[in-house]
Amino acid sequence: MHPNPPIPNSTPPPPPATHHYTNATSAAATPQPDFFTKLLDQIPLPRWAVYCIFAVGGLLILACCLCICIKCCCKGKNRRKMKPHQQLSLKSLNSSTTTALVQPDAGDVEYGSTQNQHGKLLYSLEYSAAQSELTVGIKEAAALKAMDVGGSSDPYVKVYICPDKSKTCETKVFRNTLNPVFNQQFTFPISNASLSESTVVMQVFDFNRFTKHEIIGELRLQLSTVDWNHVMEEWQDLSQPAKFEEENLGEICFSLRYVPTAGKLTVVILEAKNLKSMDTGGLSDPYVKVQLALDKRKWKKRKTSIKKKTLNPYYNESFTFDVSFDQIQRIHLVISIWDHDAMTRNDAMGKIFLGCDASGNQLRHWADMLSNPRRPVAQWHNLLSAQQVNATLSLKNKLSFTNKIF
């Protein structure tokens, strides 16, 4: 007899207890989006683009911080380099002059034991009897005296022949060096008979934009002692400059500003100082004439007011000329100072000219104006004699209207 079969249970067994536990564990393991992820999701850009923007921003911030650190370090280094005896004294400045407003006078700066060492100059001389020309080559200089606060100089060389002095030449200015390499030649007309009575003078100056250029040293060579059978080239030590020979005609300060788009050249005559006395009372009545020459022909001119009984006039008068960009490369600017006389003819007190054909400091001032359009560039210049400038420039008669090219 068979046992009773099991009675089937109509109620299904309850689900395993582990079923809900597994789901709870999966939900807890899913990471919830944080604030940064939510912020990135709200930006309507691809994720890689957002990361690139953040990376570039970080690099810019890092570069700015690095520049600030370098600038602070350089300032501290410059302050440490300036020795106590190199500090400029402002007691002797006259605050009413343009010079005091721009830069203090560095004439009292001393440089210890090197004060009597001027350096040396390599030059060459060659004379052509057939052409009656003397060629002076300024090769290079070495171990020049430091004239600036930073322990360097901005040297250039001025060359002329005594006693004639009808022509003066200047080399380019080399910045922040005591060993400049010039490699420039200058030709002077001189007859064979005048060689034995002439002296060539080579003076090395330190360029200063707003104060008088300081002379570093000079060479004076009597041409009667030179053997002209071959080209002479040698090094010589610079000596203490002679203070008695060259006539001081004074200085003039003016600014230049050129706007190429408008074709406007503005000349501002600021002031002059230490002018030559022309009147019996030891003073003068100076005024400044500003003249433009196009293709070495007299073109336009203006003049300042007359300052009575002074050798240090202050003008601050501006003149604007219409000069196209094509003409600016072909004009000469002639600045001259005249002594006004009511009863007799006005006398020329000094003169200089600037332009692309000028040399030395005049050429540098002109080049600075062209390289800085729409910005005024001011500079002091030593005045030359009117005869010297006229012989060098050789201006022709006034430019006729038919020859004007606009």
Side-chain angles (χ1 to χ4, degrees), residues 34-175:
D34 57 5
F35 175 77
F36 183 72
T37 304
K38 291 180 179 180
L39 180 63
L40 292 179
D41 293 337
Q42 293 178 2
I43 299 177
L45 290 175
R47 189 63 57 87
W48 63 267
V50 176
Y51 290 154
C52 290
I53 294 175
F54 286 155
V56 172
L59 289 176
L60 289 177
I61 295 174
L62 181 62
C64 292
C65 295
L66 184 61
C67 291
I68 293 174
C69 294
I70 293 176
K71 187 174 182 181
C72 294
C73 293
C74 291
K75 285 184 177 180
K77 184 177 179 181
N78 292 335
R79 283 193 293 265
R80 289 194 299 269
K81 282 186 176 181
M82 187 174 293
K83 299 179 181 180
H85 71 278
Q86 292 177 327
Q87 302 293 332
L88 296 177
S89 175
L90 304 180
K91 295 180 180 181
S92 61
L93 290 179
N94 183 358
S95 59
S96 63
T97 65
T98 306
T99 308
L101 298 176
V102 179
Q103 176 176 324
D105 190 3
D108 297 332
V109 179
E110 297 179 357
Y111 295 92
S113 60
T114 61
Q115 189 172 5
N116 296 326
Q117 299 176 1
H118 304 280
K120 56 183 180 179
L121 182 68
L122 175 63
Y123 67 93
S124 65
L125 296 177
E126 183 179 5
Y127 182 72
S128 174
Q131 300 179 357
S132 297
E133 288 183 346
L134 173 65
T135 301
V136 181
I138 304 298
K139 304 295 184 179
E140 58 181 300
L144 295 178
K145 178 182 176 182
M147 306 296 289
D148 298 335
V149 174
S152 186
S153 295
D154 303 322
Y156 70 94
V157 182
K158 181 186 293 186
V159 185
Y160 58 90
I161 297 178
C162 293
D164 185 19
K165 290 187 62 176
S166 61
K167 181 180 180 180
T168 300
C169 300
E170 296 179 2
T171 67
K172 298 178 181 178
V173 178
F174 285 77
R175 290 286 188 180

Side-chain angles (χ1 to χ4, degrees), residues 109-382:
V109 179
E110 297 179 357
Y111 295 92
S113 60
T114 61
Q115 189 172 5
N116 296 326
Q117 299 176 1
H118 304 280
K120 56 183 180 179
L121 182 68
L122 175 63
Y123 67 93
S124 65
L125 296 177
E126 183 179 5
Y127 182 72
S128 174
Q131 300 179 357
S132 297
E133 288 183 346
L134 173 65
T135 301
V136 181
I138 304 298
K139 304 295 184 179
E140 58 181 300
L144 295 178
K145 178 182 176 182
M147 306 296 289
D148 298 335
V149 174
S152 186
S153 295
D154 303 322
Y156 70 94
V157 182
K158 181 186 293 186
V159 185
Y160 58 90
I161 297 178
C162 293
D164 185 19
K165 290 187 62 176
S166 61
K167 181 180 180 180
T168 300
C169 300
E170 296 179 2
T171 67
K172 298 178 181 178
V173 178
F174 285 77
R175 290 286 188 180
N176 299 321
T177 179
L178 301 179
N179 303 282
V181 179
F182 299 101
N183 285 331
Q184 290 185 249
Q185 290 186 339
F186 307 103
T187 302
F188 298 87
I190 183 172
S191 63
N192 194 8
S194 301
L195 282 176
S196 59
E197 301 175 354
S198 300
T199 301
V200 60
V201 181
M202 293 164 277
Q203 296 178 321
V204 182
F205 283 86
D206 173 48
F207 173 84
N208 293 301
R209 181 177 296 278
F210 298 111
T211 59
K212 184 177 180 179
H213 302 169
E214 298 176 283
I215 186 167
I216 300 175
E218 71 175 14
L219 290 181
R220 292 176 178 267
L221 183 63
Q222 295 182 357
L223 299 181
S224 59
T225 62
V226 179
D227 182 9
W228 300 110
N229 293 324
H230 59 276
V231 179
M232 177 182 179
E233 181 172 328
E234 66 176 2
W235 283 95
Q236 274 201 30
D237 292 332
L238 295 171
S239 60
Q240 183 72 23
K243 299 181 180 180
F244 56 86
E245 179 220 312
E246 188 170 2
E247 185 180 16
N248 184 16
L249 298 178
E251 303 172 69
I252 184 171
C253 182
F254 57 89
S255 72
L256 301 177
R257 178 176 180 262
Y258 183 64
V259 183
T261 54
K264 300 289 185 181
L265 173 64
T266 301
V267 182
V268 181
I269 305 298
L270 296 173
E271 63 175 311
K273 63 182 181 181
N274 302 325
L275 297 180
K276 183 179 179 181
S277 173
M278 305 296 290
D279 298 337
T280 55
L283 297 174
S284 298
D285 302 322
Y287 68 93
V288 180
K289 185 185 295 185
V290 182
Q291 185 177 20
L292 291 182
L294 179 61
D295 296 329
K296 290 195 174 183
R297 290 185 178 273
K298 298 177 182 179
W299 185 21
K300 303 176 181 180
K301 65 179 179 181
R302 304 279 292 277
K303 63 180 181 179
T304 66
S305 58
I306 301 171
K307 303 300 179 180
K308 295 288 187 178
K309 300 184 183 305
T310 179
L311 300 181
N312 301 281
Y314 180 81
Y315 298 99
N316 196 22
E317 298 183 30
S318 176
F319 307 100
T320 301
F321 301 91
D322 292 325
V323 181
S324 66
F325 184 74
D326 173 67
Q327 293 168 338
I328 199 67
Q329 305 175 56
R330 298 156 41 210
I331 70 168
H332 290 91
L333 172 65
V334 183
I335 306 290
S336 55
I337 299 184
W338 297 75
D339 175 48
H340 175 74
D341 290 317
M343 305 301 297
T344 60
R345 186 176 180 179
N346 298 338
D347 299 319
M349 304 173 63
K351 204 171 191 178
I352 60 168
F353 79 92
L354 295 86
C356 294
D357 294 334
S359 62
N361 300 314
Q362 289 79 18
L363 177 60
R364 184 174 188 85
H365 193 181
W366 191 259
D368 288 345
M369 176 199 70
L370 294 179
S371 60
N372 296 276
R374 296 175 295 277
R375 194 184 80 180
V377 181
Q379 183 174 317
W380 281 94
H381 292 274
N382 291 322

